[in-house]
Amino acid sequence: MKKPWGGRFKEGTAKTLEEFSQSISFDHKLWREDIDGSIAHAKMLHKQGIINAFELEQILRGLKEIAKEIEQGKFQFKEELEDVHMNIERALIEKIGSAGAKLHTARSRNDQVATDLRLYLRKKVSKLIEQLTEIEKTFISIAEKHIDTIMPGYTHLQKAQPVLLAHHLLAYAWMFERDRERLKEALKRINQCPLGACAIAGSSLPIDREFTARELEFEGVIPNSIDAVSDRDFVLDVLYCGAMVMMHLSRFAEELILWATDEFKFIELPDRFSTGSSMMPQKKNPDPAELIRGKTGRVYGNLLSLFTTMKGLPLTYNRDMQEDKEPVFDTVETVSMSLKIVNEMLPEIKFIKDKMKEASEKGFTTATDLAEYLVKKGVPFRNAHEITGKIVLYCIEEGKNLTDLSMEEFKKFSSKIDRDVYEILTSEGSIEAKISYGSSSKKSVKEQIKLLKKRLRE
């Protein structure tokens, strides 16, 4: 089949090269954006007197017919035409003749693919921002329901201090809030128009780049034509943001996996979001959480893949850059599906409050509160830390908890300890004692929820 660029060549392309270099197997996903970009470009060509009204009418009609055929599954993408751009252009020429051959005036596949990809990512990133907004609302809603639920907080996977489950869940809400902010910033950089940059240096024809940008609802044009066709920072932005979202989801998934074990038994996963074993009848496996944890690695790989592709490319466009699409397609689809399944599953998870409360009372989780109690009594913190450590060691040797100690036993370690110490030795007392913003108190939780809701409205 004759190539649109074949005039300079005596021989046709080797079949092996056609198979190796084609991108239509994946970039067909850009067909809608390619047609939208072509419509805007055609209108600009007519406005500038480069094509006449009849030619514009034919081009618009032909493109709309092609779009309908693709939507109905009747359009045949051909591998020998390499990519989505040449497939649509060839189909247009076959439909309307010479007017279709004028569409590519003052345009290169270099600025065309950059435009298509920006249009695609603008839509996909906007959807991810919506999904992050929804999952943040879900975490906030569940936190509001568990403002009195106490659990052990952990460092190094060792029990540290008692915290409110709401406080723990809101930590993830803040992660997703940062993800939303990052994607909003990425969206600003995505929403710039490269059309008119052509292959590298623009066109000698009297084009109107600002008109095309307005037609496609871009915020502006990319000033430097070399940068316009060689830039893939905006793709890397999305890959990075996607990797961050998956990292946050994976951390939460890991906690769900741990909490669902008999060793923790903090939660009961819904049957609808669990699977069984083909051999062991008793099993109830947290497959969605495990899959998210696993898919995170692939999303990380997508980021590293494109970084590696771009690191040594001289300006401007190089065919290596064809490798930008599969990683970003995979990332946006994986992140979107992962957010969707977590957002659906989370409200159906049953938190086992008694088990969480019981665990928060073990492991001397209120030892820090005891040290701070001594500080409030005038004891220097390092001394208070040492005294409390000796009390914990005594409890371990005697097989007791802090709440089991008598006042006489406490006095052996410090005369500063009085009966009011018992008020902070339970998990409830510990949390109640934390009244400043930023700690695990009910007051803190309510303030965080208020602030997060405000941000979501902005």
Side-chain angles (χ1 to χ4, degrees):
M1 181 177 287
K2 184 180 178 181
K3 308 293 186 182
W5 41 261
R8 180 253 184 268
F9 293 81
K10 292 181 179 180
E11 295 181 311
T13 310
K15 180 64 176 174
T16 49
L17 178 55
E18 287 187 345
E19 292 174 355
F20 183 64
S21 63
Q22 66 81 28
S23 60
I24 191 61
S25 60
F26 50 86
D27 71 12
H28 66 272
K29 293 182 179 181
L30 298 174
W31 72 264
R32 172 66 70 186
E33 290 74 24
D34 198 73
I35 288 176
D36 288 345
S38 293
I39 289 172
H41 184 67
K43 289 179 179 179
M44 183 276 294
L45 293 176
H46 172 252
K47 172 182 175 291
Q48 297 302 103
I50 299 171
I51 62 174
N52 61 42
F54 178 69
E55 289 167 332
L56 174 62
E57 183 183 350
Q58 285 186 301
I59 290 171
L60 297 183
R61 175 180 56 80
L63 289 172
K64 289 174 183 177
E65 288 178 5
I66 292 170
K68 188 174 181 180
E69 289 172 12
I70 297 174
E71 287 174 342
Q72 295 175 345
K74 296 178 180 179
F75 188 88
Q76 183 182 358
F77 290 105
K78 298 174 182 177
E79 185 178 276
E80 58 267 28
L81 288 174
E82 299 180 8
D83 56 37
V84 65
H85 324 296
M86 288 169 61
N87 267 269
I88 290 175
E89 182 181 322
R90 177 59 62 84
L92 181 65
I93 294 171
E94 290 174 355
K95 277 182 179 295
I96 67 173
S98 61
K102 291 189 175 184
L103 177 60
H104 209 56
T105 305
R107 185 173 73 170
S108 165
R109 281 189 293 173
N110 294 1
D111 62 345
Q112 188 177 0
V113 67
T115 302
D116 291 358
L117 200 49
R118 286 174 181 274
L119 290 172
Y120 172 86
L121 287 178
R122 185 174 70 185
K123 178 173 61 180
K124 293 296 184 179
V125 168
S126 295
K127 175 68 182 304
L128 290 177
I129 291 170
E130 290 175 7
Q131 287 186 281
L132 283 164
T133 300
E134 290 308 308
I135 202 169
E136 201 175 319
K137 289 178 180 178
T138 299
F139 271 90
I140 291 169
S141 174
I142 295 172
E144 288 177 317
K145 295 175 183 176
H146 288 281
I147 203 162
D148 293 312
T149 302
I150 297 172
M151 65 172 288
Y154 293 83
T155 64
H156 309 278
L157 262 184
Q158 305 291 317
K159 288 175 184 172
Q161 292 181 277
V163 297
L164 293 173
L165 173 58
H167 191 57
H168 190 101
L169 293 175
L170 288 177
Y172 288 103
W174 285 111
M175 293 180 205
F176 296 128
E177 175 61 20
R178 293 194 296 274
D179 290 330
R180 282 199 330 128
E181 291 172 354
R182 272 186 284 269
L183 281 169
K184 285 180 179 179
E185 286 298 315
L187 191 57
K188 292 177 184 177
R189 288 186 284 275
I190 289 167
N191 204 26
Q192 299 293 319
C193 186
L195 263 184
C198 299
I200 176 173
S203 172
S204 62
L205 295 167
I207 61 174
D208 186 342
R209 295 187 65 198
E210 286 75 15
F211 173 85
T212 313
R214 288 193 298 272
E215 283 290 305
L216 293 171
E217 297 182 356
F218 282 114
E219 291 180 4
V221 299
I222 299 172
N224 187 292
S225 62
I226 291 175
D227 184 45
V229 297
S230 65
D231 170 39
R232 290 299 182 271
D233 293 2
F234 68 98
V235 181
L236 286 163
D237 277 348
V238 175
L239 292 175
Y240 170 73
C241 290
M244 288 291 285
V245 174
M246 289 302 294
M247 183 263 285
H248 294 148
L249 288 172
S250 186
R251 294 185 75 177
F252 182 61
E254 173 65 8
E255 295 205 307
L256 293 182
I257 293 164
L258 287 172
W259 291 353
T261 62
D262 281 341
E263 287 72 18
F264 278 79
K265 205 60 180 177
F266 287 178
I267 62 171
E268 179 72 29
L269 292 172
D271 286 354
R272 293 198 315 125
F273 291 97
S274 304
T275 63
S277 165
S278 62
M279 180 180 179
M280 297 169 283
Q282 83 281 8
K283 294 296 295 297
K284 184 176 183 181
N285 300 325
D287 280 21
E290 291 175 351
L291 284 169
I292 287 170
R293 190 175 58 182
K295 289 176 185 292
T296 300
R298 195 173 80 229
V299 172
Y300 287 179
N302 290 337
L303 174 61
L304 182 59
S305 170
L306 189 57
F307 263 132
T308 306
T309 296
M310 296 299 297
K311 72 176 180 62
L313 297 185
L315 299 175
T316 58
Y317 184 83
N318 298 269
R319 192 64 181 272
D320 313 47
M321 292 162 71
Q322 178 175 297
E323 294 298 307
D324 61 355
K325 294 169 196 64
E326 288 179 288
V328 79
F329 290 164
D330 180 64
T331 286
V332 295
E333 290 168 8
T334 300
V335 174
S336 180
M337 192 63 201
S338 298
L339 285 168
K340 181 178 180 181
I341 198 164
V342 171
N343 201 38
E344 287 184 12
M345 176 175 65
L346 187 53
E348 297 184 31
I349 293 173
K350 178 184 177 184
F351 292 92
I352 305 174
K353 298 180 182 181
D354 292 345
K355 192 72 176 180
M356 287 181 153
K357 174 68 164 51
E358 180 185 345
S360 71
E361 301 288 1
K362 297 177 180 178
F364 306 103
T365 58
T366 57
T368 302
D369 297 272
L370 177 55
E372 291 178 348
Y373 167 87
L374 288 169
V375 168
K376 292 173 184 177
K377 297 286 185 175
V379 179
F381 177 75
R382 280 297 162 211
N383 297 53
H385 188 287
E386 183 178 0
I387 292 168
T388 303
K390 289 179 178 179
I391 293 172
V392 169
L393 179 60
Y394 172 80
C395 287
I396 293 170
E397 291 172 345
E398 297 296 320
K400 293 183 177 182
N401 293 317
L402 290 173
T403 52
D404 297 330
L405 298 184
S406 65
M407 185 52 54
E408 183 181 353
E409 287 173 302
F410 273 124
K411 289 289 188 181
K412 291 178 182 178
F413 297 95
S414 175
S415 61
K416 298 284 188 178
I417 301 176
D418 292 318
R419 292 201 169 276
D420 59 350
V421 72
Y422 293 111
E423 295 175 9
I424 52 93
L425 292 181
T426 62
S427 54
E428 293 101 324
S430 171
I431 289 171
E432 194 65 31
K434 295 178 176 68
I435 58 173
S436 63
Y437 178 77
S439 61
S440 180
S441 66
K442 293 179 185 178
K443 176 184 176 183
S444 164
V445 168
K446 291 175 181 177
E447 288 174 343
Q448 290 178 69
I449 289 171
K450 183 178 179 180
L451 182 55
L452 283 166
K453 286 182 175 181
K454 180 183 176 183
R455 291 195 180 191
L456 288 172
R457 290 193 297 268
E458 294 173 349

